[in-house]
Amino acid sequence: MTSTSTTSRPVPGAAPHTGVTAPSARPFLLVDAVLTGVNGLAYAAGGAWIATWAGAPAALVHGLGAVLLLVGVAVAVLATRRPVPRRWLATLAGFNLVWVLASLDYALVGGLTGLGVAWTVAQAVVVGAFAAEQVRLARRG
């Protein structure tokens, strides 16, 4: 009987363990979960009103609300893990980066009102800041 062993290579710039143990990770993720969930609830419940002042289709706003509610719950669950799984955190950062790019694209070509453009860009900046901290936490642990 032979045995095989594999060695894992560390990710450049990443801490050697597989989880994030930084004391700031849990409160940071909980703030992210709350803000995401509150936005999701606002979009889902007030989608028609938001769509009117933003110049976006109500169905899009309602759909984004549902997505944000699910993401908020997922981030809250992530915050409960000890340690926080590095790959999950990196995946969340990737999702947030995609959100930022999609938001900025829609702000440019989506036909939004001035207020809609301002809101879309502002929330993209906030989400981008969250993504940057998620990347930092995932790399440093």
Side-chain angles (χ1 to χ4, degrees):
M1 178 173 193
T2 62
S3 66
T4 59
S5 68
T6 60
T7 57
S8 62
R9 295 183 182 142
V11 175
H17 51 79
T18 60
V20 175
T21 58
S24 63
R26 183 171 190 248
F28 170 75
L29 288 169
L30 290 174
V31 168
D32 187 356
V34 168
L35 290 176
T36 302
V38 167
N39 271 316
L41 185 60
Y43 287 15
W49 180 76
I50 293 170
T52 299
W53 64 257
L60 174 64
V61 177
H62 285 293
L64 291 174
V67 168
L68 289 173
L69 284 169
L70 291 173
V71 171
V73 169
V75 174
V77 169
L78 180 60
T80 67
R81 301 299 178 235
R82 293 291 173 267
V84 175
R86 185 178 310 278
R87 288 180 193 239
W88 291 12
L89 191 57
T91 300
L92 176 61
F95 176 83
N96 281 338
L97 290 173
V98 169
W99 181 277
V100 168
L101 293 174
S103 295
L104 294 175
D105 179 61
Y106 198 69
L108 289 172
V109 299
L112 299 173
T113 64
L115 191 53
V117 169
W119 172 256
T120 302
V121 170
Q123 62 84 31
V125 168
V126 171
V127 173
F130 273 89
E133 178 62 9
Q134 290 155 357
V135 167
R136 188 193 72 78
L137 283 169
R139 294 192 84 188
R140 300 184 77 205

